[in-house]
Amino acid sequence: MRLVTSSIALAFAFVGLTSVEAGQVRSYSSNVPVRRSSYLVEFHDDAHDGHYHAVRSHGGVTVDHHYDGVFRGMAVSTSASVNPEHLAGYGGVKHVWPNRIHRLSTRASKFNATSQVLHEKTGLIQTVNELGLNGSGVKIGVIDSGVDYMHPDLGGCWKTEGCPWQYGVDLVGDHSTANPNPTPMDCIGHGTHVSGIIMASGTQVRGVAPKATMGMYRVFPCSDSEGGANSDDSLIIKAMELALKDGMDVVSMSLGTTGEWAESPSAVAAANLVSKGVIVVAASGNDGESGLLTSNSPAIGKGVISVGSVNNWSYKAPYIEVNSPSAGTLRVLKVYNPTDLNNFVFEAPIPLVVSNDVAGSNEGCNPPRTDISGKIALVKRGSCTFGAKAAIAQEAGAKGLLVYDFKAGAPETPSFGNNTIPATMISLTDGNMLAALAAKETLTLTSTNDKFATFEMEDGGRVTGFSSYGPTPELDLGVDISAPGGSIWSTYLRNNGSYASMSGTSMAAPYVAGAVALIKQANPGLLPEQVRNILSATAKPVADPKTGQKYTPFQSGGGLINIYDAVKSRATIDPPTLPLNDTAFGLFTGVIHRLTGDNYRWASRTLKIKNTDTRRGMWISMNHTAADSVTMFNRNGTLVDAAYGTSGKTIPTWPASTKPVAGNTLPKVTSLDSNQYIGPGLTGLVTVFITAPSGLNEADRWFYGGYLDFTMRWDGESTQSSYVVPYGGYNGDYSKINMMPPASTGLPAFVDDDGNDVEDVSAALAAKNKTHLVFFMNMPTRLLTVDLVDAAGKFAGYLPYGYNTNVVRTLPTYAPYFSVMLNGTVYMDKDLTKEATVAPGKYQARLSTLRTFGNPKKSSDFEVWNSQQFTVG
């Protein structure tokens, strides 16, 4: 095996040592970046001033922030001589955490989406027209990169009378937290875009809650010491505390770190903020292309509303005009990036031809056999990079390159590298049409960037591919609701165009935050959990046209937000979601067995349905809609290409198409009491029995789900209201799922610094060559240890970074491997503080991972790998 050197360098940076006991040092796995020499010191609830003073007085410690609202402790910076173990040793200290870096949850947008269709689809237009809601009297705090508050659509003011911006602070400055600015003026654009989605009031952009009172807590600089515009736990938690002190009703966060556990500091702080009555809305993340288990923290915090993304329905964009002798003049959408060096502009007509290469392909990855000199070359995406296609076309004399996508839907924004040939991308549908016409006649085209047309988005209203998937590490859904996040037009920096289209769950979360403001305006007494419940229950599950089912709740939650139905809701359902993390296997009993028959994996849940109308009784009935089952595994236990972030790949779904499938390959729901009458202000109980799709092979490791569809009708009314409860589970015994990939992958393995296999570990150690044990985690685990055992099988010590808790799954797009080093040093304690030198002898490396829901005191609950024996000394 040969590992990529650059990838190994990332993996070697840090594997992650953690502990869950009081007074312990905690850290993160190698794919989670942290600030150097920066820590969060968490104290026990009964800690007193003396405990705080002891940490403050430790030599080499500088206190950056004190916390007393949503997190009990402080953020500190330390000199190189200070080890986190020193801080953990003081009385009253519960944990010492590294200061984790966060990024903004946004992606490059494909189009300039100016249409207000999205406000119709989400029920906002009806809410405004019929109910007159606008967010007045509700405080919304945004934790982001700041805001260009002088933008005319955002008020053009800061903390003046009548100004929407009455709260906020800059915590970071433009380049250094030591020099914050007097106001949180944005220099990135992200926070300005987010703010417009919430509260803009202009001719180009209308926010969801334009009369809300706003606060901006700036936690992202223009750039930082890590080389990017990043934030961290210490700043984000400080911003949450300030939002709490300022009395914010709603807090919106479009930021996060992928695949974390709910025990991470930002998730804990967000959950504490919810417990104090603040409704917290957070982006679920943009890592859906890396498969399951990619939901962000703080979105996975308890009670936080985690938001996924759906695509916009229409957009305005520049176009290519194609002249065809048979079809006439055609308008074809092109991807437009105003900062692109390869701007596709041809004011005079120029011929368009399909470029077939010497290998018989039309993908443009080999020299062409078609004469493309002086013409526009039309090629299909695939087999090589966009930059390679551009270079080959340029070398052959083409005047321009037109790439059409290999998958349906709106094309992505490509990068053509440093090539100077004008190039752009179009959709698969348009590409196929042009290729068919070019095969029989001569086509010409013109293209400018100042002519726009409105196009209907092919994948409008669908769940956006980048939207992160759950489940959380312990099988909660990970996503509560979806909102428009793909190609959203909103306010931007005045010195950079004033408006822009951006994509991401970053755009979906503020849309929901604005919707929450409208709900709170109409119903001020609602608690955070009630609002979260109502939003999920009144959402509309999103249809997946590829399968004929609904998108999995693990990616879309309850479905697309419907603001009008949420505001007008007269029922609540508790719990709002059903994670099926303890399914049984076998026969149902009694009547249910007679209804369902054979052995199944099944779960039983009881729902409390409250009629909040105190004047009218409510009739309820229930149906069921199956959703896509999804997996990120091949049958042999390896990950599918999409889970490695492979471009153009998506994780498998079942059904795989719209063709009919056997009924036993879909989940089923049975209930004996789902049709009932609930009196005014009363609560009814509905028990459901959910069976897993027994017709699917458990070796494929499917995650299944669906929706309980409730219909409510109140006395004296003819109209009905719809409510949903999403559920999700694992088709198998989740406690037995393999945590590591099969041995056929060649991992775990011993490698050198260059990523080459070390065949003779004994010789490498004797020569004092650096030797690393690298491994891959398919699943997150609460406990992972890497230790040495002697020839008698006895524990000989943990390897460096060899004791880890709350470990995330390996995310190849961030850091493709975990790594520990064999250097003759071991540690005899879980905190890795009691260092020892390995005595000469024969040893094996042992890698142990606790299975999901496993008991760390039971050896049978661990998956264990043992290396070959090698000699030390």
Side-chain angles (χ1 to χ4, degrees), residues 9-84:
L10 287 172
F12 289 165
F14 198 68
V15 168
L17 102 91
T18 61
S19 175
V20 297
E21 298 174 14
Q24 304 299 313
V25 175
R26 304 195 70 167
S27 292
Y28 297 105
S29 48
S30 58
N31 56 342
V32 179
V34 298
R35 298 278 190 211
R36 299 182 186 93
S37 301
S38 182
Y39 301 95
L40 296 175
V41 182
E42 182 182 6
F43 287 87
H44 287 289
D45 290 341
D46 59 357
H48 53 70
D49 289 343
H51 295 139
Y52 284 77
H53 178 75
V55 174
R56 287 195 299 266
S57 303
H58 188 96
V61 169
T62 301
V63 177
D64 299 318
H65 302 289
H66 284 278
Y67 308 113
D68 58 10
V70 299
F71 188 82
R72 187 166 176 79
M74 62 180 71
V76 301
S77 300
T78 66
S79 64
S81 63
V82 178
N83 291 322

Side-chain angles (χ1 to χ4, degrees), residues 113-127:
T114 61
S115 170
Q116 295 295 297
V117 173
L118 76 167
H119 290 330
E120 297 173 3
K121 299 289 187 180
T122 60
L124 177 61
I125 298 297
Q126 187 178 11
T127 303

Side-chain angles (χ1 to χ4, degrees), residues 162-233:
C163 180
W165 298 98
Q166 293 295 323
Y167 302 92
V169 67
D170 181 5
L171 293 172
V172 290
D174 290 347
H175 305 289
S176 170
T177 56
N179 298 294
N181 297 321
T183 64
M185 177 58 76
D186 191 6
C187 59
I188 297 175
H190 187 275
T192 300
H193 196 276
V194 161
S195 298
I197 293 169
I198 295 174
M199 51 70 67
S201 181
T203 57
Q204 289 219 42
V205 179
R206 186 200 186 281
V208 179
K211 294 297 183 181
T213 300
M214 300 296 298
M216 173 57 73
Y217 305 88
R218 185 185 180 208
V219 297
F220 287 91
C222 306
S223 62
D224 64 8
S225 60
E226 304 294 331
N230 299 305
S231 188
D232 58 49
D233 276 336

Side-chain angles (χ1 to χ4, degrees), residues 17 80 293 302 359 362 367 465 548 597 638 697 712 726 791:
L17 102 91
L293 296 152
K302 183 178 180 182
N362 67 344
T638 59
N697 193 321
M712 318 299 201

Side-chain angles (χ1 to χ4, degrees), residues 10 25 78 116 183 310 392 404 451 483 499 702 751 784 825:
L10 287 172
V25 175
T78 66
Q116 295 295 297
T183 64
V310 299
I392 291 169
Y404 64 100
K451 293 181 180 179
Y499 302 94
W702 292 102
V751 300
L784 183 154
T825 299

